[in-house]
């Protein structure tokens, strides 16, 4: 049976992990329709879940007469990973037997639930439903979180772990076949303890970017794996985690956790769900929700995938941008260009009509999109215009414009297609016909 304090924690966690969703919670009886998945909690009470295209429901037992019903809705639907998260949350909640008692106890448990339930969920993806040896998975994660607060000689301290299932002494043989990596085994395994990153050599030599500690599922560090070709990956590859994709193909792979670019920690799980811990908040880093929206609008699939990778990179680099994807190549009225100098106009002329692939291959795309003003593409990824300043006074009358300058411009531009705003503090927001469809953080 779960308590009121846990209800609040679960509601907040869902809001953090599924961007732009609405979460409601009421009390009531479980739906007995055929598409409702039913299970038993650790106390023997029934819990249930129902998933539809744009709505998910969770039924969690409170007492013998009452259940909480969590309703999660989003007009744009849910991705596979988001559905996996809700399914996993049901499994986690089945094992939460704490009940409310007095006010002091309630306050203490509210704080506890807000911090512990997300860890149980992430650990579920790292470790599975079996709670045995749970700490061996969480220990590396907690060590990196503590490391994120440290600086050494003015630089942020970073590192990372790759967890492989212990199958005899076969870890070296499994890694040898991974092209582009070198494995440095330890003479004897070292236990992963709370003070693992006490000395600078531990995180300076293994930085979590090109090198990772190899840990087994018993919490024993077996050695170090190192990327032999770090220069083959540019900033976009790294922000979309392509530099570690091969590590996930190692037989017995369980999870990777490493430092991010903003004192955060990233967790990659076997089920392909990626979590980010940032400022004590857990978020789902999956980007297919953005990609799916673009493709549903009619954007070429290859262009959509490449564009989203660039958007995430701009977000990570804290570089703002405004992009319009239009089907008919009809653009909003403008009041001029960001750069009207002879050089600026010549540069704009030089790239007009270029394909997104060309701009990506020549490393021009980040600079172009982050150069202020609106950049416009057609659905095939051909550049129509760049550096444009939208005339907000002639915006479509049906569009209600509000927010800061870039938000207002995105709302106005969305009357002509799919508008995308990347904020300088990170969030990526998609608009259509003046409506905010998704805000990804």
């Amino acid at each position: 049976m779960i308590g009121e304090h846990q209800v609040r924690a679960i509601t907040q966690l869902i809001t953090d992990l599924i961007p732009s969703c609405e979460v409601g919670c009421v009390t009531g009886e479980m739906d007995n329709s055929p598409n409702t998945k039913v299970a038993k909690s650790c106390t023997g009470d029934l819990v249930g879940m129902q998933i539809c295209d744009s709505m998910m429901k969770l039924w969690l037992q409170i007492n013998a007469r009452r259940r909480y019903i969590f309703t999660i809705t989003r007009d744009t639907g849910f991705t596979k990973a988001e559905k996996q998260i809700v399914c996993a949350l049901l499994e986690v909640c089945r094992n939460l037997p704490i009940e409310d008692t007095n006010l002091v106890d309630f306050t203490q448990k509210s704080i506890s639930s807000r911090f512990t339930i997300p860890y149980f969920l992430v650990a579920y993806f790292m470790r599975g439903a079996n709670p045995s040896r749970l700490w061996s998975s969480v220990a590396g994660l907690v060590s990196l979180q503590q490391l994120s607060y440290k600086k050494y000689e003015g630089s942020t301290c970073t590192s990372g772990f790759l967890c492989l299932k212990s199958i005899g002494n076969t870890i070296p043989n499994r890694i040898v076949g991974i092209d582009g990596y070198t494995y440095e085994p330890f003479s004897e395994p070292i236990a992963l303890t709370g003070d693992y990153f006490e000395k600078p050599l531990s995180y300076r030599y293994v930085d979590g970017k090109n090198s990772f500690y190899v840990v087994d599922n018993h919490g024993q560090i077996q050695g170090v794996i190192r990327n032999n070709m770090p220069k083959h990956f540019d900033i976009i590859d790294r922000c979309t985690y392509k530099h570690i994709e091969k590590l996930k193909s190692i037989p017995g792979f369980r999870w990777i956790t490493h430092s991010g670019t903003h004192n955060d920690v990233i967790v990659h799980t076997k089920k392909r769900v990626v979590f980010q811990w940032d400022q004590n908040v857990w978020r789902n880093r999956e980007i297919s929700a953005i990609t799916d929206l673009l493709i549903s609008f009619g954007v070429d699939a290859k262009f959509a995938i490449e564009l989203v990778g660039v958007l995430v990179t701009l977000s990570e680099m804290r570089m703002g941008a405004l992009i319009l994807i239009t089907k008919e190549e009809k653009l909003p009225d403008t009041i001029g260009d960001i750069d009207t100098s002879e050089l600026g106009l010549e540069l704009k002329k030089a790239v007009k009509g270029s394909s997104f692939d060309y701009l990506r291959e020549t490393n021009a795309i980040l600079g172009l999109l982050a150069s202020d003003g609106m950049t416009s593409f057609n659905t095939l990824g051909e550049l129509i215009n760049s550096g444009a300043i939208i005339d907000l006074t002639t915006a479509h009358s049906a569009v209600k414009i509000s927010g800061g300058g870039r938000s207002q411009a995105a709302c106005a531009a969305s009357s002509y297609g799919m508008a995308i705003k990347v904020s300088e503090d990170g969030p990526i927001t998609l608009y259509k016909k003046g409506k905010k469809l998704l805000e990804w953080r």
Side-chain angles (χ1 to χ4, degrees):
M1 293 186 288
I2 68 169
E4 179 71 28
H5 50 90
Q6 292 166 320
V7 170
R8 295 183 181 183
I10 291 167
T11 301
Q12 185 60 55
L13 179 59
I14 294 172
T15 303
D16 292 336
L17 291 175
I18 303 180
S20 297
C21 75
E22 294 186 4
V23 183
C25 188
V26 297
T27 59
E29 293 301 315
M30 192 183 318
D31 188 345
N32 294 318
S33 59
N35 62 339
T36 300
K37 175 184 175 182
V38 180
K40 284 189 176 182
S41 71
C42 63
T43 57
D45 300 310
L46 291 179
V47 294
M49 180 182 67
Q50 186 181 95
I51 297 180
C52 303
D53 290 339
S54 58
M55 181 181 69
M56 294 187 280
K57 284 187 177 182
L58 283 177
W59 286 269
L60 301 175
Q61 187 78 28
I62 296 299
N63 54 45
R65 296 168 298 175
R66 186 176 61 170
R67 293 180 179 90
Y68 271 123
I69 305 172
F70 293 87
T71 303
I72 311 161
T73 57
R74 190 172 69 193
D75 292 341
T76 56
F78 303 100
T79 66
K80 179 181 178 180
E82 289 168 343
K83 293 175 182 178
Q84 284 183 307
I85 288 172
V86 173
C87 290
L89 187 57
L90 176 66
E91 296 299 320
V92 170
C93 291
R94 287 171 60 187
N95 298 299
L96 296 175
I98 306 172
E99 298 183 69
D100 300 334
T101 53
N102 55 59
L103 182 60
V104 174
D105 191 42
F106 172 79
T107 303
Q108 293 172 340
K109 289 177 180 177
S110 294
I111 297 172
S112 175
S113 296
R114 181 66 181 88
F115 285 95
T116 57
I117 292 178
Y119 281 91
F120 280 118
L121 179 67
V122 175
Y124 176 88
F125 279 90
M126 297 172 73
R127 187 69 193 172
N130 186 355
S132 65
R133 300 187 184 275
L134 182 65
W135 179 247
S136 63
S137 295
V138 178
L141 174 59
V142 172
S143 296
L144 289 177
Q145 290 175 321
Q146 294 172 342
L147 186 66
S148 71
Y149 294 108
K150 293 179 64 174
K151 284 185 177 291
Y152 183 73
E153 294 182 342
S155 299
T156 302
C157 303
T158 65
S159 193
F161 297 96
L162 162 66
C163 181
L164 301 177
K165 186 177 180 180
S166 179
I167 309 174
N169 192 27
T170 63
I171 286 180
N173 295 332
R174 283 181 270 158
I175 292 179
V176 166
I178 305 301
D179 183 47
Y181 287 88
T182 298
Y183 181 56
E184 304 166 356
F186 290 166
S187 57
E188 293 290 338
I190 299 174
L192 178 54
T193 59
D195 59 352
Y196 195 80
F197 292 118
E198 183 178 358
K199 301 296 182 181
L201 182 61
S202 62
Y203 48 83
R204 278 296 177 96
Y205 186 69
V206 180
D207 62 2
K209 302 180 187 302
N210 299 309
S211 53
F212 304 85
Y213 288 107
V214 177
V215 58
D216 63 25
N217 51 305
H218 300 290
Q220 299 292 310
I221 308 293
Q222 300 289 336
V224 175
I225 188 168
R226 194 172 298 278
N227 191 325
N228 294 334
M229 302 177 290
K231 293 183 179 180
H232 285 200
F233 301 98
D234 62 14
I235 184 63
I236 298 176
D237 293 331
R238 290 182 177 276
C239 287
T240 51
Y241 312 123
K242 292 181 180 178
H243 64 300
I244 62 172
E245 197 59 35
K246 284 186 178 179
L247 297 179
K248 300 177 184 179
S249 66
I250 300 175
F253 167 76
R254 285 189 175 274
W255 48 263
I256 299 173
T257 180
H258 60 90
S259 303
T261 56
H262 298 284
N263 300 94
D264 53 339
V265 178
I266 312 296
V267 181
H268 305 256
T269 69
K270 188 176 181 179
K271 295 184 178 182
R272 294 290 180 177
V273 179
V274 181
F275 295 99
Q276 177 196 37
W277 174 84
D278 182 29
Q279 297 180 351
N280 285 320
V281 174
W282 283 100
R283 300 194 189 280
N284 170 22
R285 293 294 292 175
E286 187 208 22
I287 57 179
S288 63
I290 310 175
T291 309
D292 291 347
L293 263 180
L294 292 174
I295 293 175
S296 68
F297 177 68
V299 176
D300 175 75
K302 184 176 182 297
F303 171 40
I305 293 170
E306 292 294 327
L307 174 60
V308 172
V310 172
L311 295 176
V312 171
T313 303
L314 290 167
S315 173
E316 282 291 296
M317 297 176 68
R318 300 298 189 257
M319 300 170 69
L322 174 62
I323 303 159
L324 174 65
I325 311 295
T326 178
K327 294 179 179 179
E328 301 176 357
E329 299 194 11
K330 183 180 178 181
L331 302 179
D333 294 336
T334 64
I335 56 174
D337 295 322
I338 288 293
D339 187 348
T340 57
S341 68
E342 184 178 354
L343 175 61
L345 295 175
E346 190 62 33
L347 289 173
K348 179 176 176 177
K349 179 181 177 182
V351 297
K352 186 175 183 179
S354 298
S355 69
F356 189 88
D357 284 344
Y358 171 79
L359 297 169
R360 169 72 172 88
E361 291 169 3
T362 57
N363 295 315
I365 190 63
L366 293 176
L368 178 69
L369 295 180
S371 295
D372 284 337
M374 184 181 72
T375 306
S376 302
F377 295 92
N378 63 22
T379 54
L380 296 176
E382 297 167 340
L383 181 65
I384 302 173
N385 196 12
S386 59
I389 304 174
I390 295 179
D391 185 359
L392 297 178
T393 63
T394 62
H396 197 284
S397 59
V399 174
K400 183 179 179 181
I401 299 177
S402 61
R406 191 173 278 126
S407 296
Q408 292 184 46
C411 285
S414 67
S415 293
Y416 298 83
M418 182 77 76
I420 308 166
K421 180 194 74 170
V422 183
S423 300
E424 292 179 7
D425 55 351
I428 300 170
T429 311
L430 280 73
Y431 299 85
K432 186 178 178 183
K433 295 182 179 179
K435 180 182 178 181
K436 181 190 293 186
L437 300 180
L438 180 74
E439 184 174 75
W440 183 91
R441 293 177 177 271

